[in-house]
Each structure stands twice: as structure tokens, then as C-alpha cells.
Amino acid sequence: MPTTIAPRIRTLVLLFLTVTGALLAGAGQAFAHAALTGSDPAQGAVVEKAPAQVSLTFSEQVSTGADSVRVLDPKGGRVDTGEPSAVGGTTYAVPLHSGLPDGTYTVTYQVVSADSHPVAGAYTFSIGAPSATSVPATAREAGGGVVGRLYGFGRYLSYAGFIVLAGGAAFVLGCWPGGAGARAVQRLVVSGWLALTSATLFLLLLRGSYTGSGKVGDVFDLELLGQVLQTKPGAALVSRLLLLAAAALFIAVLFGAYDKREGAEKRDLTFGLAIGGTVVAAGLAASWAMAEHASTGLQPGIAMPVDVVHLLAVAGWLGGLCALLVALYRSDAPVEASAVRRFSRVAFGSVVTLVVTGVYQSWRQLGSWSAFTETRYGQLLLIKIALVALLVGVAWISRRWTNRLGETTGAGAAAAEATATEATATGTATAETMSVETAGTGAAGAAAKTGAGKAAGAGSADAARAVQLARQRAAVDATRQKRRRDADPHRLGLRRSVLAEAGVAVVLLAVATLLTSTEPGRTEQDAKAATAASSDTSGAVTLGMSFDTGGTDGKGVVSVDIDPARTGANEMHVYVTRPNGRAFDVPEVKVAFTLESKKIGPLPVTPDHITTGHWSANGVQIPMAGEWQIAVTVRTSDIDQATVSKNAQIG
């Protein structure tokens, strides 16, 4: 039987730090929960005239600010005017200056998705023809850097604090009322409250910088803090702080007046604390549900209550597990077998609740079986399921130890009594060795203590001996309690299995935290489908060019449409019109594609004549992405022809 828990505690702490490090390493870039599904002008498009505005369409509603969308000219100057505004559904537009010159423009955006996570991206489009630009089309870093890592740690700490606070208090109230007087359990629950409170304040300060500039210096910007308080996540954090004030009162009663009550008075107080504690815990859980995954997407009215129940079940299981672990290792008073059996039933009910609510959440967030393997959310969910299964397996082993603990209660009590007697004898012998003045029987020791009390004002030597004797007796009592706690050999197996459960729970909590900051599989797949559809329908390139063959009636305009303007097969349409806009039926039209940067081409294409002024070609192959020169040769008579060209980004 071990004499110290330091090696095990060190192992658990190292595991915690390792998982936390992995969590922070993965939190460098936030995984967006809203995705850009379309834009006008489209990405890579070449438009003939300067647009009056740029519009962006997302997979869900987002929050925008004054600097959320920026449009930059080829030299890096801003050409957008005013703030972005919603123009319908999930589409947001920002107006542009009039009369913009030809060239390539860069659009960058950083918004906040409906479930509180920052989303950033960038793309380019061209007016007239593509040009060189000094602005790289790279997204602003959303939710990354030092602030992003700190925010990820704060989220982990807040979840851990809630689980320990709610689960630990529930363990004392529902499974082991005697734990209200155990200092180790008291410290655990209070530590959970402190962790959740400090993490909530920490997240509130970081929020403005996390969704905005990402600069550490903006953490204490009071203007940003004021803006955060007006948002849904800010309101959720403030609500959490108010509920934590009520939780502090609950803790004070649980570990104060509750432990001193007996009989009917204690039963009444238990009922009141159970009702009040459930309300406070549900409110704390709702502070996550109202601002994250559950509050947006499919069936939010059902998803939010389910998420609250899910979080409460997690706290009841894992938080109670932490309290049981501390009670088994650090509490002087032994944990009764009946208390362990009650927790076993609570844990079983929590697991059943987790399965039911987890199945609903998985269906809601994934939407298809393929999302399990094709999306990051699905892959993390598979890891979480495996960890839960492992945790249930270890819990089953703990349950077996619990049953054995109950079967040997009588033998354990006898052994406890024997070891307590032995501890008393050992402690008395130690006291005799260390203090000659207080040697003798217990009665002699008591007499010495009484004498010392009477002579307290007469001499400091007697007072010192009395203090020494009190310390010795305290050590004897501690030894007796430890022997009594460890009298049943099956408790060793139980403690080891519970410690293993706690280790798995630490990893499970890290994965769960990553899940809350990862784009749901359903959203990711829908965004990919919408992006593909958008590129298929709005990714076409349209080029208009005026020509003059020099002969009689030799002037006109030729327009070339290439759809979807990507590598591989494309559909091409050529329209020839007179200067007045009427269809121009010329004898011949030919098109050639050249990629000068790679010395590819010209690749000739001869379209088929469809109708007056209209030619078409299917399956036009573009071998690679790049800025292609598209040259069109128009022949208006046997000897009169002209070739005009423009550049366009394809692929």
C-alpha cells in the first residue's frame, strides 16, 4: 500500500500539461464556423466595368464592424467607403468609390460567425484586365497568434472549472454528505469556482482582441471591451459572472451551515441546496449554450436545452469523479462504500444522458456518415467517442472494486478497528519517547496537559510542552484516520482505477474543448457544396473587345464567355455584335489561348457557328491555372480581318 501520492499526482499533472500544450499548439488558427460561399464580383473574375459594391455571402449570419471588409486597389490603397451592411439573408455588401481604374483588386474580410468564432479570408478580382498588385491575397489571421492561444487556454480552464465546481458540489450533496466537512473536497470545489471565475474574466478581456486585431496590446482597450459587452458572447460571459456570485453563496452554505445541521433540518437544507444548485448549474451551462454551437444552425430551440443537459451530465460524471479521487487520496475521513455506490449510480445515469444527448448533437453537427471521416469535426468526434468508451471501460473496473468494497465491509471495519488500536499504541509510544515530561499512560498525559494549562501564565516551558503534546496527539489522530481509510485492501484498487479515469477525463476534456472551436461537419460540407456550386455558376469569365477590320462595315464588338474558367474542360461562347448592339453575322471567328509565363500556346480553338452572331465550343481544355491571353480573330470579308486580345485569370 503506497505511503505517498506524489508520483501519481506528478503523472496526472504532466498529463494535464501535455494535453494543454497540444491544445494550445492546435489553437494557433481558429477554425471558422461560417464559410464564404459566394461573392460578387466572384473570386478571380474579370469584369468589364467597375462594380458599385462588393458583396459577400456566408453559410450563416455573421457580425460585422467598421473594418470587417476592406477592398484594396493594386497599390494597396483602400477603395471601399462606409461600413458593410446586410443586403438580404446572409449576404453583406460594402460600397466602392466610383470610376475605379482597370487592374486587380484585393478583398479581405474578418467577421464573427453566429456561434462567436472569428472568420477571415481574402480573394482577388479584376476590372478590365488583370494586373500586378502589391497586396498579397492572404487572409488576416483570425483568432490566431498569442491572443488566440491564450483564448484557447481560457476556454479549457473555464470548462474544467465548471466541471469541478458543479460536479464536486453534486458529489458532496448527493453521494457523500460527510464530505462537506472534508477540507480536501472543500478546496477542490472552491478551486473550481476560482478557476471558472478567473477564466471568465480572462475571456472577457481577450474577446475584443481575439475577434479583432489579435494584438496583445488591445486586451485592455476599454473601448473594445465596451463593444464586446454589446455582443451575444459578451452578454453570456457577464451572465456567467453574475451566476458565479450566486454559486459563491451556495458554496458558503454547503461547506458551512450544512455540515452542522442534523436530522430534519439537514434534510430540508439538502432539498433547498439541491434545487438552488441545479438552477445555478443549469444557468452556468446555458451561458455556453446561448452563445456557441447550439445557438445557431439547425433546431436551436431544441439544441440549447439539450446542450445544457449534456454539460450538466459531463459535470456530474467527471466532476464527481475528481471529487471521489480527492476524497480517496487526500481526505482524512474514509469514504463509505455506500457513497461510492451512490456515485456509481449517478455516473451511470450521466453516461446514459451523455449518449442520448450526444447522438442528437452528432446528428445535428454532422448530418451525414461521410462527415465522420471527411471533416475535422468528425475526426475529433471519433476520438472523443473512443475516449468515452475507454472511460466507461475503466469505470466498469471501478464499479467492480466498489462491489468488492461493499462485500468486505465487515472485515474492513474489523481491520480498521485493529489498525486504529495499533495506531493509538504507536502514537503513545512515540509521545513517550519524544517527551519525558508527558510519559506514562493516557491519564498521565491528560494530567500533564491540565497542569500545563494551569501554569500557562507561570512559565513558557510548560506551555511549550503542552503545544508539543497537542501536536503529537494530532499526528496520532491523523495516523489513526489514515489506517482506518486504508484498512480495506480493495480501496487501493479503487483508487488506482479512479486515478486512471481522471487521466482519461483530462484528455477527453481537451478534445471536447477543441470540438467547440472547430467548424461543425454539416457546416463545412454545406459550405464546400455551396462554394462548388458558386464556382460552377458564377465563376465564368466574360471579356468584351472592340475590333475594326479596316474594310467596309468592319467595326464591331466581340464578347467571349468562358465557363467555369477553371483548369480542365470549359464551355466557350463567342458573340459578335455591331456597334449598335445588333448581332453581326461575320464569315469566321477563331480563338487562341496563350500562357506566356509558362510558354504554353497559342492553343487554337475554332468554335462552331450556332446562330447569327453566336459561336460556341464545348470541352475547351485549359491545362493549368494562370493568367491566359485570349486572342480572337474576326474576319468580316475574304480579305478583311482583325485580331484583338485580353488577359484573364483562369483556374
Side-chain angles (χ1 to χ4, degrees):
M1 193 167 295
T3 59
T4 177
I5 63 167
R8 294 181 177 84
I9 296 300
R10 282 199 299 268
T11 301
L12 194 58
V13 170
L14 287 175
L15 179 60
F16 172 81
L17 293 177
T18 301
V19 173
T20 302
L23 173 68
L24 296 181
Q29 181 72 21
F31 294 94
H33 297 187
L36 183 69
T37 58
S39 61
D40 185 19
Q43 180 174 352
V46 179
V47 296
E48 186 174 356
K49 296 181 180 179
Q53 65 180 18
V54 167
S55 62
L56 306 175
T57 302
F58 296 91
S59 58
E60 64 181 44
Q61 290 186 340
V62 298
S63 299
T64 61
D67 200 37
S68 294
V69 180
R70 297 183 295 177
V71 183
L72 310 176
D73 62 21
K75 295 182 179 179
R78 293 188 63 167
V79 297
D80 56 284
T81 61
E83 297 184 11
S85 59
V87 294
T90 58
T91 300
Y92 303 81
V94 60
L96 304 179
H97 289 298
S98 59
L100 295 178
D102 291 355
T104 298
Y105 291 76
T106 303
V107 180
T108 67
Y109 60 90
Q110 180 167 322
V111 296
V112 181
S113 63
D115 55 4
S116 78
H117 298 275
V119 182
Y123 74 93
T124 62
F125 71 91
S126 300
I127 300 175
S131 67
T133 175
S134 61
V135 183
T138 55
R140 288 183 277 177
E141 189 176 28
V146 175
V147 172
R149 292 181 176 87
L150 291 174
Y151 198 86
F153 176 75
R155 290 172 61 83
Y156 182 94
L157 188 63
S158 63
Y159 278 119
F162 171 73
I163 288 172
V164 170
L165 169 62
F171 176 79
V172 172
L173 199 60
C175 301
W176 189 37
R183 296 298 296 274
V185 177
Q186 292 176 7
R187 286 194 292 266
L188 175 71
V189 176
V190 172
S191 296
W193 184 89
L194 290 173
L196 181 55
T197 303
S198 58
T200 303
L201 291 170
F202 190 57
L203 293 174
L204 197 58
L205 289 174
L206 289 172
R207 181 72 193 172
S209 178
Y210 172 69
T211 59
S213 65
K215 298 178 181 178
V216 178
D218 289 342
V219 170
F220 298 102
D221 189 328
L222 295 181
E223 183 178 354
L224 276 179
L225 181 59
Q227 295 173 4
V228 168
L229 295 177
Q230 300 175 27
T231 64
K232 183 171 66 174
L237 291 171
V238 172
S239 300
R240 192 181 303 168
L241 287 174
L242 295 176
L243 288 166
L244 282 168
L249 178 61
F250 172 88
I251 293 172
V253 175
L254 179 63
F255 295 129
Y258 178 74
D259 188 44
K260 301 175 183 177
R261 297 296 188 270
E262 298 292 341
E265 190 177 1
K266 188 164 189 175
R267 287 194 298 272
D268 292 341
L269 187 55
T270 300
F271 179 79
L273 286 175
I275 297 298
T278 301
V279 171
V280 172
L284 289 172
S287 67
W288 278 282
M290 67 182 287
E292 297 192 352
H293 284 170
S295 64
T296 185
L298 189 66
Q299 300 177 345
I302 299 175
M304 286 192 287
V306 169
D307 196 49
V308 170
V309 173
H310 189 82
L311 283 172
L312 291 177
V314 171
W317 184 18
L318 301 185
L321 185 68
C322 292
L324 177 60
L325 178 68
V326 169
L328 287 172
Y329 275 104
R330 300 301 300 270
S331 175
D332 293 333
V335 182
E336 300 89 351
S338 59
V340 182
R341 286 195 296 271
R342 282 193 292 269
F343 173 70
S344 181
R345 290 193 290 269
V346 170
F348 178 78
S350 297
V351 170
V352 172
T353 304
L354 286 173
V355 170
V356 174
T357 56
V359 167
Y360 171 76
Q361 288 180 327
S362 299
W363 167 79
R364 181 175 178 271
Q365 302 292 3
L366 291 177
S368 66
W369 291 106
S370 61
F372 271 110
T373 56
E374 294 178 359
T375 65
R376 178 178 172 83
Y377 188 94
Q379 294 164 359
L380 284 172
L381 186 58
L382 287 175
I383 296 174
K384 180 182 177 181
I385 293 172
L387 288 171
V388 170
L390 177 61
L391 197 55
V392 170
V394 180
W396 178 76
I397 297 175
S398 297
R399 188 179 181 86
R400 291 184 61 187
W401 284 116
T402 301
N403 292 334
R404 294 180 182 179
L405 190 67
E407 293 168 359
T408 59
T409 301
E417 185 65 27
T419 51
T421 303
E422 179 186 352
T424 303
T426 303
T428 303
T430 302
E432 290 175 352
T433 302
M434 296 181 62
S435 178
V436 177
E437 291 79 357
T438 58
T441 63
K449 181 179 180 181
T450 303
K454 292 180 179 179
S460 60
D462 290 340
R465 284 194 296 271
V467 170
Q468 183 183 30
L469 181 59
R471 290 176 179 174
Q472 291 166 0
R473 288 183 172 174
V476 169
D477 290 339
T479 302
R480 181 186 301 112
Q481 292 288 350
K482 187 177 185 303
R483 295 285 181 86
R484 183 180 302 168
R485 182 187 66 191
D486 298 337
D488 189 349
H490 296 297
R491 289 183 184 271
L492 176 61
L494 178 61
R495 285 189 294 181
R496 286 176 174 174
S497 61
V498 171
L499 181 63
E501 285 186 73
V504 177
V506 170
V507 183
L508 178 62
L509 180 59
V511 175
T513 305
L514 281 175
L515 273 174
T516 63
S517 59
T518 302
E519 182 178 0
R522 183 190 291 270
T523 305
E524 183 179 341
Q525 288 192 324
D526 290 349
K528 287 179 180 178
T531 302
S534 176
S535 63
D536 288 341
T537 57
S538 62
V541 169
T542 300
L543 302 175
M545 297 167 278
S546 300
F547 65 86
D548 184 359
T549 61
T552 303
D553 196 21
K555 294 182 178 181
V557 177
V558 59
S559 178
V560 181
D561 291 344
I562 303 171
D563 188 11
R566 295 182 299 185
T567 57
N570 291 264
E571 182 178 352
M572 182 181 71
H573 294 270
V574 180
Y575 301 92
V576 181
T577 59
R578 297 180 184 277
N580 61 7
R582 298 181 60 185
F584 193 173
D585 197 12
V586 298
E588 184 181 35
V589 171
K590 295 187 292 186
V591 182
F593 294 82
T594 304
L595 184 60
E596 296 181 350
S597 62
K598 300 294 184 180
K599 301 188 183 302
I600 299 176
L603 306 177
V605 177
T606 302
D608 298 323
H609 186 253
I610 305 301
T611 185
T612 301
H614 181 197
W615 285 258
S616 176
N618 294 322
V620 178
Q621 293 293 326
I622 304 298
M624 66 172 58
E627 187 176 330
W628 288 82
Q629 181 190 70
I630 302 173
V632 183
T633 300
V634 181
R635 183 168 62 84
T636 57
S637 68
D638 292 339
I639 59 173
D640 298 321
Q641 70 177 31
T643 300
V644 291
S645 65
K646 269 192 176 183
N647 292 343
Q649 180 69 32
I650 300 179

